[in-house]
Amino acid sequence: MNDYTSPEDTQRQDPGQEEVRLPVGTLVFGLVVVAIGLLMLVSLLYSFTLDPAITIVSLVVGAGLLLVIGGIASGRRRQRG
């Protein structure tokens, strides 16, 4: 049993079937880090500048939307299961 399953979840599953749950927060954080890296790389390769304030705000808004969507999807999946 890991941090993302409750005892009720393990009782409902078949012994041979293990459900993999991806933590949404970790996924979103990874996407933000990759986006920052790609933006830095592209700006160096194509010699253009990005406004840091607008870039950070855009990434935070995008990450927030992904977290909300992931939370809603997780809640709907738990209601069905």
Side-chain angles (χ1 to χ4, degrees), residues 20-66:
V20 177
R21 292 184 184 222
L22 184 66
V24 177
T26 304
L27 177 66
V28 170
F29 178 73
L31 288 173
V32 168
V33 170
V34 168
I36 289 171
L38 286 175
L39 285 172
M40 290 174 61
L41 183 64
V42 168
S43 70
L44 288 173
L45 290 175
Y46 294 107
S47 300
F48 67 89
T49 58
L50 296 169
D51 183 19
I54 292 176
T55 304
I56 297 280
V57 167
S58 299
L59 285 172
V60 169
V61 167
L65 287 173
L66 286 175

Side-chain angles (χ1 to χ4, degrees), residues 6-30:
S6 66
E8 293 84 23
D9 290 339
T10 56
Q11 292 171 357
R12 284 189 299 212
Q13 294 178 356
D14 293 335
Q17 179 187 26
E18 185 173 328
E19 183 178 338
V20 177
R21 292 184 184 222
L22 184 66
V24 177
T26 304
L27 177 66
V28 170
F29 178 73

